[in-house]
Amino acid sequence: MGRSVGIPIIEYGGSDHASEIFVARDARMLGTLRLEDPAREEARAAIDALHALGISTVLLTGDGAAAATAVARTLGIDRIEAEMVPEEKLRRIDALRAEGRTVMMVGDGVNDAPALTRAHVGVAMGSGTDVARETANVMLLGNDLLALVDALRIARRCHRIIMVNFVGTLAVDGAGMVLAAVGLLDPVLAAFVHVSSELLFILNSARLLRRGRATGSRPRA
């Protein structure tokens, strides 16, 4: 670093994966700053919940390999891709898609925006940059990573209920047409069966009104 104003020198004996900043004044080395970002409190719980849903996790980051490895080890992330520029993230996502995988990208920075658009589903954190939020398919309100798990669980529950209603409707209507064709279903009984089945499917859909967090607690207002 070139000439700078006088600043205090902080010596920090942090872990080996901390980022190191050299501090100099008048071309004379004064010391180093070692900086380390702690993982979010809910990050490990969110990763564990994703694994419980059968989802593999990959860390794509521009940080150094040592820092990325330490974070991945702490959080239990499956795979690590460190020291990546935005173009390399795009190529990695393309490779995953070529393997037939469904890719969801979660990011919050400007460098994440291209990858967010390339993934099947791009998810931006609420505190992310405007570019990330505008390019993502889904934006999480706030910074709680467990909200991502909630969104996935709600999406899967919606899909299951939709498929049950769809298959059920086809089964009831198909059975009704067959019975009516052979003369075993008169119009009054057919109307009763139809209305009853529709009521059943509506009640099935009402199960989506259940609310709950990935941690088992109620959502915060």
Side-chain angles (χ1 to χ4, degrees):
M1 208 163 57
R3 174 182 291 274
S4 63
V5 297
I7 61 173
I9 302 306
I10 301 174
E11 294 184 359
Y12 170 61
S15 58
D16 294 336
H17 58 265
S19 299
E20 189 173 40
I21 300 175
F22 296 94
V23 181
R25 183 181 183 187
D26 296 331
R28 184 170 64 89
M29 184 68 178
L30 298 179
T32 61
L33 302 175
R34 295 176 63 85
L35 308 177
E36 181 179 355
D37 290 329
R40 298 182 60 86
E41 293 181 0
E42 78 281 3
R44 180 60 194 243
I47 295 297
D48 290 342
L50 291 175
H51 289 161
L53 293 174
I55 298 174
S56 299
T57 52
V58 182
L59 175 62
L60 304 181
T61 178
D63 292 340
T69 300
V71 170
R73 185 184 302 116
T74 300
L75 301 182
I77 295 174
D78 297 321
R79 291 153 62 181
I80 310 162
E81 301 282 348
E83 301 178 5
M84 302 187 76
V85 297
E87 291 77 12
E88 291 174 324
K89 292 182 180 180
L90 286 177
R91 288 196 292 269
R92 189 71 185 100
I93 289 176
D94 287 339
L96 290 171
R97 295 187 59 154
E99 295 174 5
R101 297 176 179 270
T102 300
V103 181
M104 178 178 65
M105 172 71 184
V106 183
D108 60 0
V110 174
N111 292 336
D112 295 325
L116 290 172
T117 61
R118 188 65 61 88
H120 288 99
V121 180
V123 180
M125 303 300 294
S127 62
T129 61
D130 291 339
V131 174
R133 289 183 295 182
E134 290 175 2
T135 56
N137 304 108
V138 178
M139 186 182 74
L140 301 178
L141 299 179
N143 299 315
D144 190 353
L145 292 173
L146 287 173
L148 172 64
V149 183
D150 291 336
L152 286 170
R153 286 180 170 171
I154 291 172
R156 288 189 172 188
R157 193 187 312 150
C158 285
H159 183 264
R160 286 196 301 268
I161 289 177
I162 288 172
M163 292 307 298
V164 168
N165 290 349
F166 177 72
V167 173
T169 298
L170 290 180
V172 171
D173 291 349
M177 287 188 293
V178 171
L179 293 175
V182 297
L184 297 178
L185 189 64
D186 60 66
V188 175
L189 183 57
F192 176 78
V193 171
H194 177 74
V195 172
S196 299
S197 64
E198 292 300 318
L199 178 60
L200 214 70
F201 298 141
I202 290 173
L203 293 176
N204 185 47
S205 300
R207 294 191 298 126
L208 290 172
L209 298 177
R210 277 188 318 172
R211 301 173 64 191
R213 299 302 310 276
T215 55
S217 60
R218 300 288 293 181
R220 292 189 297 268

